[in-house]
Amino acid sequence: MTMPNMHYRDLKDSYLFYNIAQKTKAYLAAHPDQHLYRMGIGDVSLPLCKAVITALHEAVDDQADRGRFHGYMPECGAPFLRQAVARHYRGRGINIADDEVFVSSGASDELGDILDLFDRGSSALVIEPAYPAYVDANVMAGRRIIHLPSGKENGFLPEPSEEAKADILYICSPNNPTGAVFDREKLQRWVDFANDCGSVILFDAAYEAYIEDEGLPRSIFELKNAETCAIEICSLSKTAGFTGTRLGYTVIPRALVRNGMCFADMWLRNRTTKTNGVSYIIQKGGAAVFSEEGQRQIRENILIYKENARTLMRALDELSIWYCGGKNAPYIWLKCPERMGSWEFFDYLLNEAQIVGTPGAGFGACGEGYLRFSTFGSPEDTKEAARRLVTLLGKK
Ligand code: PLP
């Protein structure tokens, strides 16, 4: 008998987005004339910027021309894109070589695939509340998971401790779902901890482009000795609207070595076995993000989402509701008022103000009592949602 991977039995059913979809569907069926203010799912609403669209069109034309046509692409990424990403890092004072950059189809794929580099017997630390894929990808591989809860008392940014010792340490900053961002000192303590323990940090930088406070690290490689303990996983999804176009990149410094094994060499070997590279057309579009024009244009879109965040933060301030995130992240994580539970508050907002958030309980037990707002919606809807929040909760 073929034995399936029995670890799949250990996966918890994820009802979070399914339940949200069911509840909103039922609400709309009962109130067909109502408009919903959707601030639940973390997908972008603005189209790709002009520089990217132009590059995509040009790349399509290349594929129609015998002399400019591209077949299989290099497994770890086209040299023009690896160079563009590495140059972008160097422009920020981080010394990354082109061959330390690996192009991917997005951070989700990479967060799962990169686990191939670690022994199945290794353990993984997940700081909760967390992006659900960290836990599930490790459950599928049968790894031991250490759940480190965080809370309001530490601003959802826990310190390393004896209980946090693990082989793989997931750190997501700016964080999804809490929007919390590690400052330099706190992140340095995790880097030092990882180097002391021989652990490897998987640094999820999917939201680095939302950091506006100068002093906050946008890359883990801004910190001392991070090159000997960290892998940085990045995505163009929220940086440049590539959620449906699919492109990301991962930085693995050559100095990251454990037990005589160089992770960058291992990943090269892995990619050449398991992929045939990302589409030429998409990589051309991605390279345009790193051009001067591309950087300016993606910034314009990010500023629109940031204005949404400010609109929501103003409403929450007016209501004296505790929250974190929003300033340096596209998520706002708020405490449900009146001691309401996450789902109770979700229902209340849906029924009384037609606002859809994401219940914090869906991101781990310590998310109970919180709700996440995403700021990726339209400015018009966000303004109206903020007005409705103030009207509804101001009465309480
Ligand atoms: N990491 C975090 C923290 C995310 O929130 C997301 C997407 O929402 C991803 C990774 C996945 O990004 P991608 O679209 O590149 O797969």
Side-chain angles (χ1 to χ4, degrees), residues 118-235:
F118 300 90
D119 187 86
R120 295 239 165 173
S122 52
S123 54
L125 175 88
V126 177
I127 298 173
E128 293 189 344
Y131 182 57
Y134 305 154
V135 169
D136 287 355
N138 282 287
V139 168
M140 287 174 189
R143 270 200 194 84
R144 187 165 70 87
I145 299 171
I146 297 155
H147 301 265
L148 181 67
S150 65
K152 208 173 149 205
E153 65 292 346
N154 53 24
F156 291 93
L157 298 166
E159 296 281 338
S161 62
E162 196 57 33
E163 301 79 67
K165 279 193 174 160
D167 301 303
I168 306 166
L169 311 174
Y170 284 90
I171 299 184
C172 178
S173 177
N175 188 271
N176 177 13
T178 66
V181 186
F182 278 98
D183 66 23
R184 221 166 267 282
E185 294 70 34
K186 277 201 170 124
L187 193 55
Q188 187 67 56
R189 283 200 279 278
W190 279 101
V191 168
D192 295 344
F193 177 74
N195 274 320
D196 288 348
C197 302
S199 314
V200 172
I201 295 174
L202 292 184
F203 189 73
D204 186 339
Y207 300 102
E208 54 86 15
Y210 289 80
I211 293 181
E212 62 183 47
D213 288 346
E214 279 296 318
L216 294 173
R218 287 176 60 177
S219 163
I220 195 156
F221 300 119
E222 290 177 34
L223 299 162
K224 220 166 132 241
N225 299 330
E227 68 283 2
T228 55
C229 71
I231 292 175
E232 179 155 291
I233 297 178
C234 302
S235 163

